[in-house]
Short mmCIF file of all heavy atoms in Angstrom, two decimals:
data_model
loop_
_atom_site.label_atom_id
_atom_site.label_comp_id
_atom_site.label_asym_id
_atom_site.label_seq_id
_atom_site.Cartn_x
_atom_site.Cartn_y
_atom_site.Cartn_z
N PHE A 5 48.96 -77.39 122.78
CA PHE A 5 48.16 -76.19 123.03
C PHE A 5 47.71 -76.16 124.48
O PHE A 5 47.38 -77.19 125.07
CB PHE A 5 46.92 -76.16 122.13
CG PHE A 5 47.21 -75.98 120.67
CD1 PHE A 5 47.45 -77.08 119.86
CD2 PHE A 5 47.26 -74.71 120.11
CE1 PHE A 5 47.72 -76.92 118.51
CE2 PHE A 5 47.54 -74.54 118.77
CZ PHE A 5 47.77 -75.64 117.96
N PHE A 54 49.41 -57.84 138.69
CA PHE A 54 48.69 -58.94 139.33
C PHE A 54 47.20 -58.62 139.51
O PHE A 54 46.48 -59.39 140.15
CB PHE A 54 49.33 -59.26 140.67
CG PHE A 54 50.80 -59.55 140.56
CD1 PHE A 54 51.73 -58.64 141.05
CD2 PHE A 54 51.26 -60.71 139.94
CE1 PHE A 54 53.09 -58.89 140.94
CE2 PHE A 54 52.62 -60.97 139.82
CZ PHE A 54 53.54 -60.05 140.32
N TRP A 59 34.96 -60.11 134.44
CA TRP A 59 33.82 -59.42 133.84
C TRP A 59 33.04 -58.63 134.89
O TRP A 59 32.57 -57.53 134.62
CB TRP A 59 32.92 -60.42 133.14
CG TRP A 59 31.69 -59.81 132.55
CD1 TRP A 59 30.42 -59.91 133.02
CD2 TRP A 59 31.63 -58.96 131.39
NE1 TRP A 59 29.56 -59.18 132.22
CE2 TRP A 59 30.28 -58.60 131.21
CE3 TRP A 59 32.59 -58.50 130.49
CZ2 TRP A 59 29.86 -57.78 130.16
CZ3 TRP A 59 32.17 -57.69 129.43
CH2 TRP A 59 30.83 -57.34 129.28
N LYS A 61 34.06 -57.02 137.28
CA LYS A 61 34.77 -55.80 137.68
C LYS A 61 34.67 -54.69 136.64
O LYS A 61 35.07 -53.55 136.91
CB LYS A 61 36.26 -56.09 137.90
CG LYS A 61 36.59 -56.92 139.13
CD LYS A 61 38.10 -57.04 139.24
CE LYS A 61 38.53 -57.84 140.46
NZ LYS A 61 40.00 -57.94 140.55
N ALA A 65 34.87 -46.51 134.18
CA ALA A 65 36.15 -45.86 134.49
C ALA A 65 37.34 -46.60 133.89
O ALA A 65 38.36 -45.97 133.57
CB ALA A 65 36.31 -45.75 136.01
N LEU A 95 14.28 -74.23 129.43
CA LEU A 95 13.71 -75.16 128.45
C LEU A 95 14.24 -76.59 128.59
O LEU A 95 13.75 -77.50 127.93
CB LEU A 95 13.99 -74.66 127.03
CG LEU A 95 13.41 -73.29 126.67
CD1 LEU A 95 13.84 -72.90 125.26
CD2 LEU A 95 11.89 -73.30 126.78
N TYR A 114 30.14 -79.37 127.74
CA TYR A 114 31.57 -79.06 127.75
C TYR A 114 32.26 -79.77 126.58
O TYR A 114 33.12 -79.19 125.91
CB TYR A 114 32.21 -79.51 129.08
CG TYR A 114 32.92 -78.37 129.78
CD1 TYR A 114 32.45 -77.87 130.98
CD2 TYR A 114 34.07 -77.80 129.24
CE1 TYR A 114 33.10 -76.82 131.63
CE2 TYR A 114 34.73 -76.76 129.87
CZ TYR A 114 34.24 -76.28 131.06
OH TYR A 114 34.88 -75.23 131.68
N ARG A 127 48.42 -82.05 120.84
CA ARG A 127 48.25 -82.38 122.25
C ARG A 127 47.68 -81.17 122.97
O ARG A 127 47.97 -80.02 122.60
CB ARG A 127 49.58 -82.80 122.87
CG ARG A 127 50.24 -83.99 122.20
CD ARG A 127 49.47 -85.27 122.44
NE ARG A 127 50.08 -86.42 121.79
CZ ARG A 127 49.73 -86.88 120.61
NH1 ARG A 127 48.76 -86.29 119.92
NH2 ARG A 127 50.32 -87.94 120.08
N VAL A 168 43.02 -74.65 138.30
CA VAL A 168 43.95 -73.56 138.61
C VAL A 168 43.17 -72.38 139.18
O VAL A 168 41.94 -72.33 139.10
CB VAL A 168 44.74 -73.11 137.36
CG1 VAL A 168 45.67 -74.19 136.88
CG2 VAL A 168 43.79 -72.69 136.25
N GLN A 175 45.50 -65.81 130.72
CA GLN A 175 44.59 -66.24 129.66
C GLN A 175 43.24 -66.68 130.22
O GLN A 175 42.21 -66.55 129.54
CB GLN A 175 45.22 -67.39 128.87
CG GLN A 175 46.41 -66.97 128.01
CD GLN A 175 47.75 -67.11 128.74
OE1 GLN A 175 47.81 -66.98 129.96
NE2 GLN A 175 48.80 -67.37 127.99
N LEU A 176 43.23 -67.17 131.43
CA LEU A 176 41.96 -67.55 132.05
C LEU A 176 41.13 -66.31 132.38
O LEU A 176 39.91 -66.30 132.26
CB LEU A 176 42.22 -68.38 133.31
CG LEU A 176 41.05 -69.16 133.90
CD1 LEU A 176 40.36 -70.03 132.86
CD2 LEU A 176 41.53 -70.02 135.07
N LEU A 178 41.29 -63.58 130.62
CA LEU A 178 40.79 -63.15 129.32
C LEU A 178 39.55 -63.96 128.92
O LEU A 178 38.57 -63.41 128.40
CB LEU A 178 41.89 -63.31 128.27
CG LEU A 178 41.57 -62.84 126.85
CD1 LEU A 178 41.23 -61.35 126.83
CD2 LEU A 178 42.75 -63.13 125.92
N VAL A 186 29.67 -62.30 126.19
CA VAL A 186 28.67 -63.10 125.45
C VAL A 186 27.44 -63.33 126.32
O VAL A 186 26.30 -63.20 125.86
CB VAL A 186 29.29 -64.43 124.98
CG1 VAL A 186 28.21 -65.33 124.38
CG2 VAL A 186 30.40 -64.19 123.97
N LEU A 189 25.29 -59.98 126.90
CA LEU A 189 24.50 -59.62 125.72
C LEU A 189 23.30 -60.54 125.56
O LEU A 189 22.19 -60.09 125.29
CB LEU A 189 25.39 -59.69 124.48
CG LEU A 189 24.70 -59.45 123.13
CD1 LEU A 189 24.18 -58.01 123.04
CD2 LEU A 189 25.65 -59.74 121.98
N GLY A 198 30.54 -49.47 130.30
CA GLY A 198 31.82 -50.12 130.05
C GLY A 198 31.64 -51.49 129.42
O GLY A 198 32.35 -51.87 128.48
N ARG A 205 32.89 -53.54 120.77
CA ARG A 205 34.22 -53.72 120.16
C ARG A 205 34.37 -55.17 119.67
O ARG A 205 34.93 -55.40 118.58
CB ARG A 205 35.31 -53.39 121.18
CG ARG A 205 36.75 -53.48 120.63
CD ARG A 205 37.02 -52.45 119.53
NE ARG A 205 36.84 -51.10 119.98
CZ ARG A 205 37.78 -50.33 120.55
NH1 ARG A 205 38.99 -50.82 120.75
NH2 ARG A 205 37.52 -49.09 120.90
N LYS A 224 38.91 -67.47 115.47
CA LYS A 224 39.16 -66.34 116.37
C LYS A 224 38.02 -66.17 117.37
O LYS A 224 38.23 -66.15 118.58
CB LYS A 224 39.37 -65.06 115.56
CG LYS A 224 39.58 -63.80 116.42
CD LYS A 224 40.73 -63.95 117.41
CE LYS A 224 42.08 -63.86 116.74
NZ LYS A 224 43.19 -63.81 117.75
N ALA A 232 17.72 -76.12 123.08
CA ALA A 232 17.18 -77.29 123.77
C ALA A 232 16.38 -78.17 122.81
O ALA A 232 16.41 -79.37 122.90
CB ALA A 232 16.31 -76.86 124.94
#
Side-chain angles (χ1 to χ4, degrees):
F5 292 88
F54 305 109
W59 177 254
K61 289 183 179 180
L95 299 177
Y114 236 113
R127 301 291 180 265
V168 293
Q175 290 92 330
L176 195 52
L178 183 60
V186 173
L189 176 65
R205 183 64 60 88
K224 177 56 75 172

